[in-house]
Amino acid sequence: MLMEVSLQQNKDSSSKRLRDLIRIITEDLYCFLFPPRCILCECELENGKSVICDNCRIEIYRSPESTMPFCPYCRIVYPDYFDKCRRCGGRKSPGKLYALYEINDSLLYYLHHFKYHRRAEIGMELAYKAFQIYRQAEFLKMIDIIIPIPMFKRKRLNRGYNQAEVLARHLSEYFEIPLDNNVIRRVK
């Protein structure tokens, strides 16, 4: 009986290695026949792991990064020690918001691919950028948990994954803040 279990485990291990080898060969062949291209300028990428070239990455993140909050209504950045926007007094905005960069057309197109074209790896890059900018920020000390906003099942099936969940998972890893997917539920 013990010998049968051991033989079955060896067989499972061998078939897994074979499947992994076939997957790697298939991916390499696909990249050889259809070289990966930048999603913005469509130039051929040297590295198949990336989704954009270095020039487009510079274009996406061309606006200056800011670690200060901004008012989404007035579109002004204000010092972190203020509780609310100095222009509208916080009456028109939901409170402090922090952003990686100012939105530009290239960044919008990039985010569109993350949201609608099943490019989950973009979420990891955005989370890493957030980590680079905000890793020393004081407001992080007030964050106890990261909670991604859930999607309707039909929308999740259409898109393939929940982009907020992908981004939240990577943010949780980089900032070492716990993630909880079960705190809120999407209802009609």
Side-chain angles (χ1 to χ4, degrees), residues 9-50:
Q9 287 175 344
N10 285 341
K11 185 178 176 184
D12 291 344
S13 176
S14 296
S15 67
K16 183 185 179 322
R17 283 192 300 237
L18 182 61
R19 281 193 309 269
D20 288 345
L21 181 63
I22 290 171
R23 182 183 51 80
I24 290 168
I25 291 171
T26 304
E27 286 175 1
D28 287 347
L29 181 61
Y30 184 83
C31 285
F32 176 74
L33 295 174
F34 306 102
R37 299 201 170 276
C38 174
I39 62 174
L40 296 176
C41 71
E42 298 194 7
C43 72
E44 194 171 311
L45 295 171
E46 299 171 13
N47 172 340
K49 304 288 184 203
S50 182

Side-chain angles (χ1 to χ4, degrees), residues 61-108:
Y61 301 120
R62 74 173 182 250
S63 56
E65 55 191 50
S66 172
T67 57
M68 293 192 298
F70 74 96
C71 175
Y73 183 79
C74 300
R75 312 268 308 156
I76 64 166
V77 173
Y78 56 92
D80 204 20
Y81 50 83
F82 288 132
D83 288 336
K84 52 191 166 190
C85 174
R86 299 284 87 194
R87 184 178 292 163
C88 72
R91 292 181 305 276
K92 298 177 181 176
S93 74
K96 288 184 180 182
L97 296 179
Y98 293 85
L100 294 178
Y101 293 91
E102 188 175 312
I103 294 290
N104 58 51
D105 290 340
S106 298
L107 183 57
L108 281 174

Side-chain angles (χ1 to χ4, degrees), residues 115-127:
K115 195 169 181 179
Y116 299 109
H117 294 277
R118 298 179 186 231
R119 301 305 299 254
E121 62 272 24
I122 293 173
M124 184 172 69
E125 182 176 321
L126 293 172

Side-chain angles (χ1 to χ4, degrees), residues 167-180:
L167 187 58
R169 186 175 63 247
H170 292 298
L171 288 170
S172 172
E173 291 169 9
Y174 287 126
F175 289 109
E176 297 177 354
I177 299 172
L179 172 75
D180 193 340

